[in-house]
Amino acid sequence: MVKKGLLAIAAVVLLVVLGTGVLIGAQFAGGTADTPTQTANSQSDDGGGGNGGSSTATATSGNSTTPTPTAEPNGTVTETATPQQESIPARKFNEQNVSNYIRQFLNEEREAADVPPFESGLRTEEDLNEMAKNHSEQMAIEGNAIHKIDGVSSKDRYEDTGLYDRCTFDSAEGEYIEQPDRNRFEAVEMTVAGQMYEENGEELFHATDKEVARKIVDDWMAWPDYRERLTLRNANLVGIGVEITATGNVYATANICG
């Protein structure tokens, strides 16, 4: 009887041990519960919470970087860097294009002043363009935007090209004669194309022919004497000459005619 009792007890212990092992095994086989984790790139579906993105700037060799806003998928606006070109070769600019834009902008200024635009396609205009171009080339050699070079004045250039008498005209009031004396019919200017430069404490950069022309005309309009002569009512023609040096310096001349 004693032996049978011991055997029964041993069987019960064995069953308990086996049952415990099965339970533990089932727990290990089932694994752990999924737990949400947040990584640096995760974002909530409703756009709430989180860091809302970050602003970074990566410099590119030879360029500066300027942050510009971009939209993230959750609607948050962040800033990413876009390169800003620091230098454009002078050969990328076209002198004739700049001249054409200058003429366009001058006519817009004349329209704003309620005076007729400059006419085009006349023989005298071609002579004015040639005279203006020659003077811009001389200014480029001198490295300065000036009216008189080597003793030759604006009046002298009009006389030497046979334009002095042809370009003289009556004032709008009819009270006097407008003549190319004392630089009256001329405007000159110098700026820079494709290179960063400083003017009056401000950094400026002109990347296109149009931007170069706009700067030149804006400078002329900012000077009362030039504004007045370039918007004379009875001035019917204008010659434009532009010279761009290998270093990007731009010299421009405008010569008017009645």
Side-chain angles (χ1 to χ4, degrees):
M1 291 295 293
V2 173
K3 291 181 178 181
K4 289 182 178 179
L6 291 173
L7 288 173
I9 293 171
V12 171
V13 171
L14 179 60
L15 289 173
V16 172
V17 171
L18 290 174
T20 303
V22 171
L23 179 60
I24 294 173
Q27 290 179 344
F28 278 106
T32 59
D34 290 338
T35 303
T37 58
Q38 183 173 355
T39 64
N41 294 327
S42 66
Q43 299 181 34
S44 59
D45 292 337
D46 62 2
N51 294 330
S54 61
S55 176
T56 59
T58 303
T60 303
S61 178
N63 295 330
S64 61
T65 55
T66 302
T68 56
T70 58
E72 295 290 341
N74 65 357
T76 303
V77 176
T78 62
E79 289 187 344
T80 56
T82 56
Q84 179 179 346
Q85 199 159 12
E86 293 180 344
S87 177
I88 299 175
R91 66 179 181 275
K92 298 293 185 179
F93 294 86
N94 184 284
E95 294 166 346
Q96 188 57 55
N97 285 346
V98 175
S99 297
N100 292 340
Y101 277 122
I102 289 175
R103 186 181 305 276
Q104 173 187 323
F105 294 145
L106 285 177
N107 279 332
E108 290 174 1
E109 295 292 344
R110 288 176 66 84
E111 181 180 0
D114 196 29
V115 296
F118 289 119
E119 299 176 9
S120 295
L122 301 179
R123 172 63 187 176
T124 300
E125 180 191 20
E126 296 179 8
D127 295 338
L128 288 167
N129 286 337
E130 183 178 356
M131 179 176 68
K133 174 65 172 176
N134 289 339
H135 184 59
S136 292
E137 291 174 354
Q138 290 301 311
M139 290 194 298
I141 293 173
E142 291 292 317
N144 197 6
I146 51 179
H147 293 284
K148 179 179 283 190
I149 298 177
D150 293 334
V152 179
S153 66
S154 175
K155 175 185 176 181
D156 294 333
R157 287 188 289 277
Y158 273 87
E159 290 178 335
D160 293 344
T161 55
L163 289 169
Y164 187 95
D165 292 332
R166 288 160 60 187
C167 289
T168 297
F169 59 92
D170 292 334
S171 67
E173 302 81 5
E175 298 176 354
Y176 55 91
I177 302 296
E178 295 280 8
Q179 296 176 313
D181 300 328
R182 300 179 301 280
N183 309 319
R184 175 64 173 164
F185 284 11
E186 188 171 81
V188 296
E189 187 57 50
M190 180 267 179
T191 189
V192 180
Q195 305 292 327
M196 191 74 71
Y197 70 101
E198 185 173 313
E199 182 177 286
N200 299 324
E202 180 182 3
E203 285 191 343
L204 301 176
F205 184 82
H206 311 307
T208 65
D209 296 334
K210 188 174 184 178
E211 291 177 7
V212 171
R214 183 74 264 177
K215 171 60 175 171
I216 290 169
V217 174
D218 284 348
D219 284 349
W220 282 341
M221 293 299 109
W223 190 6
D225 286 350
Y226 281 167
R227 169 183 284 275
E228 191 263 342
R229 70 186 60 168
L230 291 171
T231 57
L232 286 170
R233 177 170 295 275
N234 288 354
N236 301 321
L237 300 171
V238 65
I240 305 294
V242 172
E243 178 72 8
I244 303 176
T245 70
T247 58
N249 289 335
V250 183
Y251 296 87
T253 304
N255 291 113
I256 63 172
C257 185

